[in-house]
């Protein structure tokens, strides 16, 4: 691996990683795509589009205001203002790369869709609800054609390589097929960018690929990075409830086009809630969850014209319904909330830098301050795109180190890869899900801690523990974190390091000597 220390390593091959690699050209970049380039990632599944204020009645200020309203008091106004101003530039960049966003019948104007909690039509789609797939395919083609980008497929980052001052100086890599650590290879880098996506695979009910288990979050945590707002997990209200794992999605854009939520008796479910069917996502998810907990079924009812034109306007949802035996002639799609997006992540500054020297983060793994306690629909692809550019600009202006780094040997052995265990996913659904309380969160922390610090502990239990500890410590309800009863109103972001989580677990489990010893 000699001679690669002037490279930038990007870990993760979704929209955030691909866009960062392309913006960095012609600087030499190595992109680590664990599951293969263009393979399983949340970007591919994204039905909703990209939010950008491009309509004549819209502005970045209005988009920022909607973003902050949804963020429930924890959004960063300066970040929202900067991201929403940059959003149309990101769209132009995608169009120049070849993404064909949907246009009107004359093929001239971009079609702008409406989604929940957006005050204006500002969602761009490509191929109807196949936006993520179209963007991903275009970015993958561009990356494959870029001579500055080397792609390592079916290789995993086992840990971040640290120098003697705690700075990131590369990654320790291993082959995907090797389930347990049998020795990794040091791959030096002048900077590492994490773009590993979210954590939905830690939940039983999720719309994410099952491999989305927060690997990047844990890489950063083990390197000592500050993590922010981990308790805020967004549940999408309308995952299609047909027994599939992960759950297929019925995009929120359907409600923007007139679909409404009803119960088995055909009564509207959202009628008495402010914002009704277009209320913010956390409110819709919590309303549906409460109904389902009372034994009701919930359906997304399509108006007749939408049901008739579904295959044309929403081909992805129509195909998913057909493949899963949902009879569109009945115009009812069975739905329920499912873990969908992680607002929390590795804390980053406006240039994507984490608290650890040499480490940047982009996309869902990062916490930029844009989403606060609840993300506005279709704001994630755009966030990844604009931060990818800002990270590239920052790296282009930063000088490479002149001396080869001294590397500290890795301090942990890699745990299980692949999907999270069924018991863990069930525990997260039950105790760290849409509705939370003190007893459930304590149960989750204790069960996860004994697994994470016990003999069979793996990365998934430790990552889930980080989320559970953050959730236990937020004693209020805010955005996607709904806690009953709430005993304080904190109103500020939470920040944790892995060392602080360990210390708190020790305190909480002081009666359990086995745990004390292990942690
Ligand atoms: C959706 O299409 O409803 C999902 C969009 C998103 O999560 O941003």
């Amino acid at each position: 691996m000699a001679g690669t220390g002037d490279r930038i390593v990007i870990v993760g091959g979704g929209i955030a990683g691909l866009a960062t690699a392309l913006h960095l050209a012609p600087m030499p970049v190595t992109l680590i795509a664990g599951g293969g380039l263009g393979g399983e990632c949340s970007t591919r599944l994204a039905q909703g589009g990209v939010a950008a204020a491009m309509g004549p009645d819209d502005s970045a200020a209005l988009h920022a205001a909607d973003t902050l309203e949804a963020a429930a008091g924890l959004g960063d106004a300066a970040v929202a203002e900067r991201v929403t101003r940059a959003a149309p530039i990101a769209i132009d960049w995608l169009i120049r790369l070849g993404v064909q966003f949907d246009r009107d019948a004359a093929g001239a104007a971009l079609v702008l869709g409406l989604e929940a909690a957006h005050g204006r039509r500002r969602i761009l789609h490509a191929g109807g609800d196949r936006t993520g797939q179209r963007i991903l395919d275009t970015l993958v083609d561009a990356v494959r054609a870029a001579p500055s980008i080397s792609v390592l497929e079916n290789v995993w980052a086992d840990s971040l390589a640290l120098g003697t001052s705690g700075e990131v100086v590369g990654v320790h890599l291993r082959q995907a097929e090797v389930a347990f650590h049998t020795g990794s290879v040091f791959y030096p880098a002048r900077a590492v960018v994490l773009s590993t996506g979210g954590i939905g695979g830690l939940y039983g009910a999720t719309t994410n690929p099952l491999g989305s288990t927060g690997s990047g979050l844990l890489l950063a945590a083990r390197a000592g990075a500050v993590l922010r707002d981990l308790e805020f997990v967004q549940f999408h209200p309308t995952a299609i409830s047909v027994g599939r794992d992960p759950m297929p999605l019925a995009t929120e854009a359907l409600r923007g086009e007139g679909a409404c939520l009803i119960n088995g008796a055909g009564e509207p479910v959202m009628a008495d809630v402010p914002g009704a069917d277009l209320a913010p996502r956390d409110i819709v998810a919590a309303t549906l969850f409460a109904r389902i907990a009372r034994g009701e079924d919930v359906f997304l009812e399509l108006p007749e014209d939408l049901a008739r034109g579904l295959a044309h306007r929403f081909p992805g949802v129509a195909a998913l319904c057909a493949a899963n035996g949902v009879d569109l002639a009945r115009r009812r799609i069975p739905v329920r909330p499912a873990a969908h997006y992680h607002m929390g992540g590795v804390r980053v500054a406006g240039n994507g830098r984490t608290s650890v020297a040499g480490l940047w983060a982009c996309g869902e793994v990062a916490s930029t301050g844009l989403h606060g306690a609840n993300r506005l629909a279709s704001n994630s692809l755009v966030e990844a795109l604009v931060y990818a550019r800002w990270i590239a600009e920052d790296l282009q202006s930063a000088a490479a180190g002149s001396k080869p780094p001294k590397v500290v040997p890795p301090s942990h052995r890699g745990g299980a890869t692949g999907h999270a265990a069924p018991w863990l996913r069930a525990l997260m659904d039950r105790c760290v899900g849409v509705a939370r309380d003190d007893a459930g969160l304590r149960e989750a922390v204790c069960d996860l801690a004994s697994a994470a610090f016990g003999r069979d502990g793996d990365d998934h239990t430790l990552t889930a523990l980080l989320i559970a500890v953050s959730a236990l410590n937020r004693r209020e309800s805010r955005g996607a974190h709904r806690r009953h009863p709430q005993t304080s109103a904190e109103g500020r972001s939470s920040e944790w390091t892995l060392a602080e989580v360990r210390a708190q677990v020790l305190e909480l489990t002081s009666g359990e000597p086995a745990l004390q010893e292990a942690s």
Side-chain angles (χ1 to χ4, degrees):
M1 298 289 169
T4 53
D6 58 340
R7 285 196 159 254
I8 291 162
V9 167
I10 298 174
V11 186
I15 188 171
L18 297 168
T20 306
L22 289 167
H23 279 300
L24 278 164
M27 287 176 81
V29 167
T30 298
L31 184 76
I32 315 283
L37 198 60
E40 188 190 65
C41 65
S42 290
T43 307
R44 182 166 288 293
L45 301 181
Q47 293 177 1
V50 193
M54 297 179 83
D57 62 344
D58 204 0
S59 67
L62 289 172
H63 184 185
D66 289 344
T67 298
L68 292 172
E69 178 73 25
L74 295 192
D76 182 321
V79 170
E81 196 244 336
R82 192 167 165 238
V83 170
T84 53
R85 257 194 297 118
I89 302 166
I91 299 294
D92 285 346
W93 181 72
L94 286 179
I95 291 172
R96 281 201 309 278
L97 278 181
V99 175
Q100 296 196 356
F101 285 105
D102 296 345
R103 294 184 181 264
D104 62 12
L110 290 164
V111 174
L112 299 173
L114 183 67
E115 281 180 1
H118 284 274
R120 293 286 189 276
R121 288 193 162 264
R122 64 168 74 99
I123 318 299
L124 288 100
H125 289 92
D129 54 6
R130 292 193 163 127
T131 311
Q133 188 182 322
R134 295 281 172 93
I135 293 176
L136 191 73
D137 290 346
T138 304
L139 294 181
V140 165
D141 287 350
V143 161
R144 289 216 189 274
S148 59
I149 306 171
S150 313
V151 180
L152 296 182
E153 296 179 85
N154 302 312
V155 166
W156 291 86
D158 207 23
S159 59
L160 295 171
L162 300 183
T164 44
S165 311
E167 79 281 19
V168 170
V169 295
V171 278
H172 297 289
L173 297 178
R174 77 191 142 87
Q175 295 276 288
E177 300 80 53
V178 182
F180 285 89
H181 185 98
T182 54
S184 52
V185 178
F186 169 52
Y187 194 94
R190 56 172 283 211
V192 174
V193 183
L194 294 174
S195 55
T196 48
I199 52 85
L202 297 175
Y203 284 83
T206 183
T207 62
N208 290 182
L210 300 187
S212 292
T213 53
S215 59
L217 202 60
L218 198 56
L219 288 174
R222 285 195 168 119
V226 175
L227 312 173
R228 182 163 60 188
D229 289 339
L230 297 185
E231 61 274 34
F232 295 113
V233 178
Q234 183 169 75
F235 297 87
H236 196 293
T238 57
I240 304 178
S241 186
V242 283
R244 288 277 304 276
D245 185 24
M247 297 175 74
L249 189 69
T251 174
E252 200 150 42
L254 290 164
R255 280 179 285 134
E257 300 305 321
C260 70
L261 291 157
I262 57 167
N263 64 13
E267 296 156 348
V269 167
M270 296 301 299
D272 297 335
V273 179
D277 283 293
L278 291 181
R281 200 172 271 187
D282 58 321
I283 294 171
V284 184
T287 308
L288 266 53
F289 184 83
R291 295 279 190 147
I292 291 167
R294 291 208 302 261
E296 287 183 35
D297 291 325
V298 181
F299 301 89
L300 191 59
E301 186 179 60
L302 309 179
E304 261 177 44
D305 58 333
L306 184 57
R308 255 199 318 275
L310 202 71
H312 172 64
R313 294 173 66 192
F314 294 91
V317 175
L320 288 168
C321 287
N324 289 288
V326 177
D327 178 8
L328 283 174
R330 297 192 59 220
R331 298 194 286 112
R332 285 183 173 191
I333 303 174
V335 291
R336 58 153 293 169
H340 182 65
Y341 188 86
H342 197 199
M343 274 74 73
V346 186
R347 191 191 71 192
V348 296
N351 48 15
R353 286 182 190 230
T354 72
S355 60
V356 175
L359 185 64
W360 281 250
C362 188
E364 191 170 352
V365 67
S367 166
T368 63
L370 180 70
H371 309 306
N374 184 40
R375 177 182 63 102
L376 188 64
S378 290
N379 260 358
S380 44
L381 296 180
V382 77
E383 180 199 44
L385 288 168
V386 302
Y387 271 88
R389 178 159 67 83
W390 295 336
I391 288 171
E393 285 166 3
D394 189 42
L395 284 165
Q396 278 153 352
S397 65
S402 51
K403 283 194 291 193
K406 282 212 171 67
V407 188
V408 174
S411 63
H412 89 283
R413 298 173 67 78
T417 55
H419 301 164
W423 72 264
L424 183 151
R425 300 179 67 197
L427 181 75
M428 291 298 281
D429 275 356
R430 187 161 50 81
C431 298
V432 200
V434 178
R436 303 168 175 182
D437 61 27
D438 193 68
L441 291 169
R442 273 176 201 279
E443 179 188 335
V445 168
C446 288
D447 288 4
L448 291 166
S450 21
F453 300 138
R455 213 160 2 135
D456 300 326
D458 64 25
D459 287 1
H460 303 142
T461 47
L462 188 51
T463 312
L465 178 63
L466 295 171
I467 297 167
V469 167
S470 306
L472 177 63
N473 280 275
R474 184 171 291 279
R475 294 191 169 74
E476 62 171 356
S477 282
R478 181 176 296 276
H481 176 73
R482 308 210 149 228
R483 181 175 181 137
H484 180 79
Q486 53 175 337
T487 53
S488 72
E490 283 139 34
R492 66 179 106 81
S493 280
S494 65
E495 295 193 342
W496 290 91
T497 62
L498 182 56
E500 288 163 353
V501 167
R502 276 178 194 274
Q504 173 150 99
V505 167
L506 271 182
E507 212 178 291
L508 283 169
T509 56
S510 53
E512 296 181 45
L515 270 184
Q516 290 270 327
E517 237 167 68
S519 49

